Amino acid sequence: MKAFLAPFGRLKLWPAFGAVAAAVFFWSVALVSGVDFALWQLVLLALAALVAGSMISGMRADTEPNPDLVVRTVNEPSWRPFAEVNRWEDRFVFAEAKPGRFGTSNAKAQIEEVAAERLRLRRGLSLAADPEACRALLGEATFHFLTRPVPDCPSPRELAEHLKTIEEI
């Protein structure tokens, strides 16, 4: 029954009595002034106005406060253990989607940073200070990839070769 009456909002019984009383009062005032109305028409009009008002009130947003939200933390290491890898992948996808911007992208800068750090820690070399030793260690293609501007993202095969060379340092 509540589902059936849901479009009428929160309709109570006392407003219906008030609407009927107002219709009777209006009818009596009109009768005293000399105007003859049918009482049933005024009662029906008052009840129709009450139902229309209740329907409009039912369409309004609820004024009751919503229950508190229960928030669970999902950014725990067990949920996304490889978050950094996903960020790198997103950066590669962005650099690949924007032709001509790989050289200035964050992805290339981070690859250069990782390669420079590995050279420094494992071999005691610097790309800027020891270019010849780094070129011999990395190979010509990877050295040029790291030190020269690259306008476009390399193919996945080339990128895998560069990353494999950097990993083998």
Side-chain angles (χ1 to χ4, degrees):
M1 187 69 177
K2 280 188 172 185
F4 179 72
L5 293 175
F8 299 110
R10 296 184 181 104
L11 188 60
K12 305 233 189 279
L13 194 56
W14 66 268
F17 286 126
V20 170
V24 169
F25 176 75
F26 184 71
W27 175 76
S28 62
V29 169
L31 193 61
V32 169
S33 25
V35 179
D36 191 19
F37 285 118
L39 179 62
W40 67 270
Q41 289 175 339
L42 289 176
V43 169
L44 192 62
L45 182 66
L47 291 175
L50 179 69
V51 167
S54 179
M55 287 176 68
I56 290 172
S57 174
M59 287 188 277
R60 290 189 194 138
D62 286 339
T63 56
E64 297 173 2
N66 292 331
D68 292 335
L69 292 176
V70 177
V71 180
R72 296 184 183 109
T73 58
V74 293
N75 290 330
E76 295 175 358
S78 62
W79 182 73
R80 264 187 92 182
F82 305 110
E84 280 298 316
V85 175
N86 292 338
R87 287 190 191 108
W88 273 52
E89 184 181 15
D90 292 343
R91 289 180 183 134
F92 281 125
V93 168
F94 175 77
E96 193 174 36
K98 303 285 185 183
R101 294 192 181 172
F102 182 74
T104 59
S105 72
N106 202 4
K108 183 170 187 305
Q110 285 191 340
I111 291 173
E112 290 172 0
E113 182 181 323
V114 167
E117 188 69 13
R118 287 180 80 99
L119 283 169
R120 185 183 68 79
L121 290 176
R122 298 204 174 157
R123 304 294 175 142
L125 299 174
S126 170
L127 282 171
D130 308 313
E132 294 305 319
C134 291
R135 179 179 284 130
L137 183 65
L138 294 171
E140 197 70 30
T142 305
F143 181 75
H144 287 307
F145 172 73
L146 293 173
T147 57
R148 292 186 181 165
V150 179
D152 287 332
C153 187
S155 68
R157 184 185 59 80
E158 293 172 342
L159 189 59
E161 289 175 9
H162 295 312
L163 292 177
K164 183 180 176 192
T165 304
I166 293 170
E167 286 175 358
E168 290 174 353
I169 297 174

